């Protein structure tokens, strides 16, 4: 995979002093300041305005020999990450409540991390090392549906052979197995005239939330979600209870409160049935809970898990190899 940004810019921004703390505010976070510096240095951020076309231009300049397949992956990822991480200024409430610094706001870092995540996930087949056993766990994490694994799907069957995600992290199941089974066998609603067909995984996820009482008359009940999720944690495992509750609140905020999909419904890009927020919430739950797997539940002795550690536990752009 090509580097996303010029090395000299990353180096300068890693060594740049952070702005002083403002009275009464939390300290600005180093990684956010470094990311904001990178976007300023490359002209992607100008007077706090994010220029998406400039971002695509900068990213394309990193692609060796202007390889078309990588340029396409970079542009698709940039537009997705701009829509999800920059256009929605979700962090303003946290600034107003004095929960985070008004300096070095999160969107720059989240755009860059989102870029890495999507580009890595969408690595073209020609550039993916299918012969390396350690990459199988990456394929599972990046390419297979987390909650509705169909073992007869060719793209997942191969990478799942001999691998279970619990091989690296002894993580509780997030939802009752019987509910998942019922919803996997759910009949899809009929298509509405003039709309795209509803997507099976979106409908399955919505079914799960309906069945567990998390979704009632299209209203998402966060406290019920936390209750259902915590019921899956074996008694006495406080670390997981804390991690799962924290994750649920994060995913509710990022995937449910911000109804980013409404524009797609209005433009007839997606069906008005089985909207994405249910699946996005559940996938977000898995990703963050897996990423934040407590050390006591992580298998550090398994060589295949080292790649998973890099993908799920380390900063993508500012990894200091001397840090433990």
């Amino acid at each position: 995979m090509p580097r996303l940004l010029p090395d000299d810019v990353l180096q300068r921004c890693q060594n740049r002093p952070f702005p002083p703390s403002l009275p009464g505010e939390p300290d600005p976070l180093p990684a956010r300041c470094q990311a904001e510096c990178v976007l300023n240095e490359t002209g992607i951020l100008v007077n706090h305005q994010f220029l998406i076309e400039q971002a695509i231009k900068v990213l394309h300049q990193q692609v060796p020999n202007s390889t078309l397949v990588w340029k396409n992956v970079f542009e698709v990822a940039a537009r997705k990450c701009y829509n999800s991480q920059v256009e929605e200024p979700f962090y303003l409430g946290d600034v107003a409540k004095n929960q985070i610094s008004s300096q070095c706001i999160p969107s720059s870092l989240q755009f860059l991390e989102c870029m890495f995540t999507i580009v890595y996930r969408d690595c073209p087949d020609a550039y993916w090392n299918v012969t390396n056993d350690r990459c199988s766990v990456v394929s599972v994490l990046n390419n297979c549906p987390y909650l509705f694994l169909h073992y007869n799907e060719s793209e997942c069957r191969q990478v799942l052979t001999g691998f279970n995600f619990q091989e690296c992290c002894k993580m509780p199941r997030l939802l009752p197995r019987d509910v998942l089974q019922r919803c996997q066998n759910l009949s899809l609603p009929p298509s509405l005239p003039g709309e795209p067909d509803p997507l099976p995984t979106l409908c399955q996820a919505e079914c799960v939330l309906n069945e567990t009482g998390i979704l009632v008359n299209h209203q998402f009940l966060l406290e019920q979600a936390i209750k259902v999720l915590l019921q899956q944690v074996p008694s006495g495992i406080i670390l997981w209870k804390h991690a799962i509750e924290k994750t649920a609140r994060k995913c509710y905020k990022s995937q449910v409160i911000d109804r980013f999909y409404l524009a797609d419904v209005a433009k007839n890009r997606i069906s008005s049935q089985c909207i994405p927020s249910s699946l996005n919430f559940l996938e977000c739950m898995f990703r963050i809970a897996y990423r934040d797997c407590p050390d006591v539940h992580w298998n550090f002795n398994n060589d295949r898990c080292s790649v998973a550690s890099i993908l799920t536990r380390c900063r993508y752009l500012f990894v200091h190899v001397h840090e433990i």
Side-chain angles (χ1 to χ4, degrees):
M1 170 177 161
R3 287 186 174 275
L4 296 183
L5 295 161
D7 279 340
D8 60 326
V9 174
L10 292 175
Q11 190 62 46
R12 284 201 302 276
C13 289
Q14 281 185 322
N15 297 326
R16 183 157 297 178
F18 304 127
S21 301
L22 297 179
E25 284 193 1
D27 293 340
L29 296 181
R32 290 178 183 170
C33 294
Q34 290 167 338
E36 194 166 281
C37 168
V38 166
L39 299 195
N40 281 320
E41 288 268 324
T42 51
I44 296 170
L45 205 61
V46 177
N47 295 326
H48 301 290
Q49 295 297 308
F50 190 102
L51 308 179
I52 180 60
E53 298 305 326
Q54 172 67 5
I56 292 168
K57 179 182 175 183
V58 169
L59 291 162
H60 279 179
Q61 287 170 349
Q62 294 297 108
V63 177
N65 304 318
S66 294
T67 308
L68 191 60
V69 66
W70 273 120
K71 289 180 78 170
N72 181 58
V73 169
F74 274 28
E75 180 165 352
V76 168
R79 295 192 187 281
K80 282 184 180 178
C81 294
Y82 174 74
N83 289 337
S84 65
Q85 305 299 331
V86 180
E87 271 200 317
E88 298 285 350
F90 54 87
Y91 54 83
L92 293 180
D94 290 337
V95 172
K97 294 173 185 173
N98 215 28
Q99 292 173 347
I100 63 172
S101 171
S102 60
Q103 304 180 88
C104 308
I105 52 182
S107 51
S108 296
L109 179 62
Q110 294 194 187
F111 173 81
L112 294 175
E113 290 190 337
C114 174
M115 275 296 305
F116 182 96
T117 304
I118 292 181
V119 170
Y120 200 98
R121 182 196 70 194
D122 294 346
C123 178
D125 289 346
Y127 295 90
W128 186 260
N129 186 351
V130 294
T131 62
N132 187 328
D133 184 55
R134 293 204 301 173
C135 296
S136 64
V137 63
V138 181
S139 293
V140 173
L141 288 173
N142 285 333
N143 296 320
C144 296
Y146 297 129
L147 291 149
F148 302 103
L149 292 176
H150 300 288
Y151 288 88
N152 60 343
E153 289 183 0
S154 59
E155 67 269 24
C156 285
R157 185 173 61 242
Q158 182 178 358
V159 296
L160 284 168
T161 302
F163 178 77
N164 184 310
F165 70 84
Q166 289 196 327
E167 184 177 318
C168 293
C169 177
K170 298 294 183 185
M171 173 177 162
R173 286 189 171 273
L174 295 181
L175 294 161
R177 193 188 293 266
D178 61 325
V179 174
L180 292 175
Q181 189 62 47
R182 284 200 301 276
C183 290
Q184 279 185 319
N185 299 325
L186 176 77
S187 298
L188 298 180
S191 302
L192 296 179
E195 284 194 1
D197 293 340
L199 296 178
T201 51
L202 298 185
C203 294
Q204 290 166 338
E206 195 166 280
C207 167
V208 167
L209 299 196
N210 281 320
E211 288 265 328
T212 52
I214 296 171
L215 205 61
V216 177
N217 295 326
H218 302 290
Q219 296 296 309
F220 189 102
L221 307 180
L222 176 59
E223 297 307 321
Q224 172 67 5
I226 292 169
K227 179 181 175 183
V228 169
L229 292 162
L230 293 185
Q231 284 171 347
Q232 297 298 109
V233 180
S235 60
I237 306 183
I238 301 299
L239 278 174
W240 270 120
K241 285 182 178 287
H242 175 72
I244 285 175
E245 179 170 354
K246 184 178 178 182
T247 300
R249 295 190 187 281
K250 280 185 181 178
C251 293
Y252 173 72
K253 186 175 180 182
S254 66
Q255 304 299 330
V256 180
I257 290 184
D258 290 320
R259 299 188 174 189
F260 53 86
Y261 56 83
L262 292 180
D264 287 334
V265 172
K267 293 174 182 175
N268 217 27
R269 292 174 183 159
I270 63 173
S271 171
S272 60
Q273 304 180 88
C274 308
I275 50 181
S277 53
S278 296
L279 180 63
N280 288 352
F281 173 80
L282 294 175
E283 289 189 338
C284 174
M285 278 297 308
F286 182 96
R287 283 196 301 272
I288 295 182
Y290 200 96
R291 182 196 71 193
D292 295 344
C293 181
D295 286 350
V296 294
H297 297 285
W298 186 264
N299 186 352
F300 289 98
N301 297 319
N302 187 327
D303 188 49
R304 293 209 294 178
C305 298
S306 62
V307 176
S309 293
I310 292 169
L311 283 176
T312 59
R313 298 160 74 82
C314 296
R315 289 285 183 194
Y316 298 129
L317 290 149
F318 301 105
V319 175
H320 302 286
V321 293
H322 60 274
E323 289 185 353
I324 297 175

